[in-house]
């Protein structure tokens, strides 16, 4: 059964810094969901609270109605893999020991799948955790996170240090394993274009506040580009939310957010090329300061 993650009015204050600001969010659809935000936006703080590792200043995070903080019953359903790795690896001398610990701590642990992932990443059980390179340690952490098969799995920039082929191998394994074992997976990443294809829903936070939560498909449909004769493009874009514009001689290209469907039809009739914007571009504009309304 896919769990329901419910976050209500979550606020985390560190001295002068408000890391999370009255954040409310529900995740209940099985899927790989993206948690996106700029540096310092509060992603790690939010994931730590969801995993029951930190008590928030105020508000609650609950899984299937159970508060997660210091709640063993709730936290056995959750696995968090952080940039720094996984605790079962940190506490172990060898990968064999890390697997034994994971088997004790993780009720859904799949030892055969863990071994297959080791082969995928060219790791071996005899290896000593402390002597692994940063990228290899990240591969081990992702192996532990995937094979834990926790109903709620959190990957907080877990890929850091991995080279591109290893990252893509991880994304493929994640998607394949999710299809075979649907559950709630939340992934934070700054490599948005690499991971966007995996996402079912996207959550964007900025300065600890929720900016957006919607399906990846809907978000993709919200950003369009128009390319054509400058005067026609300008006329079409008048009054729309303009994200960026670029001119090349008589040709102009604009990126628009939340344009009405009628505008797309008008553009096609006028011979203007209509495209969709990559999620990364939409993210940059929603969390940057560059958006304005076309005159
Ligand atoms: N233990 C702490 N003590 C004081 N301030 C903290 C602590 N942890 C986080 N912060 C602050 O809270 C804010 C949110 O930090 P957080 O690590 O959650 O952001 P993030 O979105 O994960 O960032 P990044 O993408 O750079 O990893 C930042 O301003 C950070 O400096």
């Amino acid at each position: 059964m896919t769990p329901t993650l419910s976050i209500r009015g979550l606020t985390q204050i560190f001295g002068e810094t408000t890391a999370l600001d009255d954040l409310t969010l529900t995740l209940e659809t099985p899927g790989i969901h993206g948690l996106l935000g700029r540096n310092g936006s509060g992603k790690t703080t939010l994931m730590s609270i969801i995993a029951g590792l930190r008590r928030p200043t105020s508000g609650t995070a609950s899984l299937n109605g159970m508060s997660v903080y210091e709640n063993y019953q709730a936290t056995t359903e959750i696995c968090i893999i952080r940039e720094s790795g996984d605790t079962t690896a940190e506490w172990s001398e060898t990968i064999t020991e890390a697997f034994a610990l994971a088997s004790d701590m993780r009720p859904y642990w799949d030892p055969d799948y863990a071994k297959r992932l080791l082969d995928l990443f060219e790791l071996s059980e005899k290896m000593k955790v402390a002597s692994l390179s940063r990228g290899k340690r990240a591969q081990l952490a992702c192996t532990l996170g995937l094979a834990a098969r926790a109903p709620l799995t959190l990957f907080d920039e877990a890929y850091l240090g991995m080279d591109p082929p290893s990252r893509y191998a991880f994304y493929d394994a994640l998607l394949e394993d999710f299809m075979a074992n649907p559950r709630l997976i939340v992934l934070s990443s700054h490599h948005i274009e690499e991971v966007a294809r995996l996402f079912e829903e996207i959550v964007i936070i900025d300065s600890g506040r929720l900016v957006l939560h919607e399906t990846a498909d809907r978000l993709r449909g919200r950003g369009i580009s128009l390319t054509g004769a400058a005067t026609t493009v300008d006329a079409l874009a008048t009054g729309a939310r303009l994200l960026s514009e670029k001119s090349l001689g008589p040709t102009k290209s604009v990126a628009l957010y939340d344009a009405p469907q009628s505008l797309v039809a008008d553009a096609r009739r006028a011979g203007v090329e209509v495209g969709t914007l990559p999620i990364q571009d939409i993210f940059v504009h929603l969390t940057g300061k560059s958006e304005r309304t076309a005159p």
Side-chain angles (χ1 to χ4, degrees):
M1 191 192 79
T2 308
T4 297
L5 171 66
S6 177
I7 291 158
R8 293 285 166 270
L10 212 58
T11 296
Q12 178 68 57
I13 294 171
F14 296 113
E16 303 281 292
T17 305
T18 302
L20 295 175
D21 191 359
D22 196 20
L23 199 107
T24 291
L25 171 74
T26 302
L27 290 177
E28 55 191 348
T29 311
I32 302 168
H33 305 309
L35 175 62
L36 308 179
R38 297 180 66 184
N39 290 129
S41 58
K43 301 179 298 298
T44 296
T45 306
L46 177 59
M47 292 235 197
S48 303
I49 294 172
I50 293 173
L53 303 175
R54 176 181 288 286
R55 185 209 292 267
T57 309
S58 60
T60 56
S62 55
L63 192 68
N64 296 331
M66 297 178 282
S67 169
V68 292
Y69 186 66
E70 288 186 344
N71 182 339
Y72 180 75
Q73 201 188 339
T75 52
T76 52
E77 301 288 298
I78 305 171
C79 175
I80 183 168
I81 302 299
R82 289 175 288 182
E83 175 195 333
S84 53
D86 177 61
T87 42
T88 49
E90 282 159 29
W91 296 339
S92 305
E93 199 183 329
T94 61
I95 295 181
T96 307
E97 278 180 37
F99 279 12
L101 202 53
S103 168
D104 286 347
M105 288 173 57
R106 314 276 193 210
Y108 307 94
W109 176 251
D110 183 333
D112 297 331
Y113 180 51
K115 282 184 186 150
R116 290 203 299 280
L117 288 170
L118 279 194
D119 290 343
L120 175 75
F121 290 125
E122 296 173 351
L123 290 162
S124 100
E125 287 189 69
K126 282 179 265 151
M127 287 176 165
K128 287 201 169 21
V129 175
S131 53
L132 294 175
S133 68
R134 188 175 179 208
K136 285 283 169 200
R137 211 174 292 198
Q139 292 170 353
L140 173 61
C142 287
T143 295
L144 290 160
L146 283 171
R149 294 258 168 80
L152 172 58
T153 302
L154 309 165
F155 288 105
D156 184 10
E157 295 184 63
Y159 58 81
L160 278 188
M162 281 194 209
D163 57 22
S166 307
R167 288 205 300 273
Y168 281 96
F170 167 59
Y171 305 146
D172 289 346
L174 178 65
L175 191 57
E176 193 179 303
D177 194 55
F178 166 74
M179 302 295 255
N181 303 278
R183 52 204 195 270
L184 208 51
I185 297 175
V186 182
L187 184 88
S188 81
S189 174
H190 290 293
H191 291 283
I192 298 176
E193 272 322 299
E194 283 186 14
V195 289
R197 70 184 167 97
L198 306 173
F199 294 152
E200 184 70 31
E201 293 176 14
I202 293 183
V203 175
I204 298 181
I205 60 173
D206 196 32
S207 304
R209 297 201 188 107
L210 185 72
V211 173
L212 171 146
H213 173 206
E214 65 185 3
T215 65
D217 282 348
R218 227 178 97 73
L219 187 57
R220 274 189 199 96
R222 279 184 174 226
I224 60 163
S225 64
L226 302 179
T227 307
T231 46
T232 317
V233 168
D234 278 339
L236 286 162
T238 303
R241 290 175 73 181
L242 183 69
L243 300 183
S244 66
E245 55 188 328
K246 213 171 9 186
S247 292
L248 194 65
T251 303
K252 187 166 184 178
S253 187
V254 293
L256 305 178
Y257 184 67
D258 259 354
Q261 271 306 310
S262 58
L263 190 148
V264 173
D266 291 346
R268 291 203 171 112
R269 261 196 303 275
V272 166
E273 195 184 311
V274 181
T276 52
L277 296 184
I279 283 184
Q280 174 149 297
D281 288 15
I282 300 175
F283 167 79
V284 167
H285 292 297
L286 287 177
T287 56
K289 310 289 171 223
S290 58
E291 189 190 324
R292 61 192 170 88
T293 302

